[in-house]
Amino acid sequence: MPELRTVGALVTWARQSLVQAGVSNGAQEAMWLLEHALAVRSHQLVSQTDRLVSPDARNQVESLVARRVAREPLQYLLGTQEFCGLEFSVTPAVLIPRPETELLIHQVISYVTSRSESTIVDVGTGSGCVAITLASRLNGQRILAIDRSSEALAVATTVK
């Protein structure tokens, strides 16, 4: 493994590692992983290539890249997923919100707005993306989100 002491060296190594491993969109994912691990914006990765990186930060980047090469979902590594314009926490305790589920949101909104009183129950809420999105769009509607997993409920109550 090359000497990974600078931001630029880490960017190059992470991109090569993910692309060689066949990770779809590996070059972009490398940037997202480095932004996350180093707590910087993408422009800083490009403009500060000579900046030295601490051993702890380097180890974190190496760990994230290794986990992604092993095909751990990017969303679990970053800890978030966008859904209907909102950012949700995700961990392996919950399913990753899918774009297809956004169709459900639109259907529920259409259905509920034609009724005077409704109670919406989100059984198996997981990340809470359905219940929270509906609550943000349906003011005054009663929404109950339940899950048998205490780990999932902990994720659902984490605000991003």
Side-chain angles (χ1 to χ4, degrees):
M1 181 178 308
E3 216 33 62
L4 302 176
R5 294 184 180 192
T6 65
V7 169
L10 272 174
V11 167
T12 301
W13 172 80
R15 281 181 175 168
Q16 289 174 347
S17 297
L18 294 177
V19 169
Q20 286 175 356
V23 173
S24 175
N25 202 21
Q28 180 59 58
E29 288 192 17
M31 298 298 279
W32 289 330
L33 290 172
L34 270 89
E35 286 175 38
H36 176 73
L38 302 177
V40 298
R41 310 285 244 139
S42 59
H43 70 276
Q44 292 171 304
L45 293 175
V46 176
S47 65
Q48 299 177 5
T49 56
D50 293 332
R51 188 184 99 194
L52 293 177
V53 177
S54 73
D56 287 342
R58 184 174 62 242
N59 290 339
Q60 185 178 5
V61 169
E62 290 173 357
S63 173
L64 288 172
V65 169
R67 290 167 61 192
R68 187 64 188 120
V69 165
R71 297 301 192 259
E72 186 169 342
L74 179 68
Q75 295 88 338
Y76 291 155
L77 298 176
L78 300 178
T80 63
Q81 173 62 36
E82 184 274 334
F83 180 82
C84 286
L86 302 171
E87 196 76 20
F88 289 91
S89 294
V90 292
T91 72
V94 301
L95 296 175
I96 298 165
R98 306 283 305 160
E100 299 82 18
T101 308
E102 293 184 12
L103 297 172
L104 173 68
I105 298 297
H106 300 297
Q107 290 295 325
V108 171
I109 290 171
S110 289
Y111 182 81
V112 170
T113 54
S114 65
R115 292 176 175 50
S116 59
E117 282 190 34
S118 298
T119 299
I120 300 167
V121 181
D122 180 10
V123 178
T125 196
S127 67
C129 67
V130 171
I132 293 167
T133 300
L134 288 171
S136 74
R137 298 197 178 168
L138 295 170
N139 287 336
Q141 289 294 329
R142 193 174 135 151
I143 301 173
L144 174 64
I146 60 174
D147 203 299
R148 70 180 282 194
S149 165
S150 58
E151 289 115 351
L153 289 173
V155 172
T157 58
T158 304
V159 178
K160 275 290 171 190

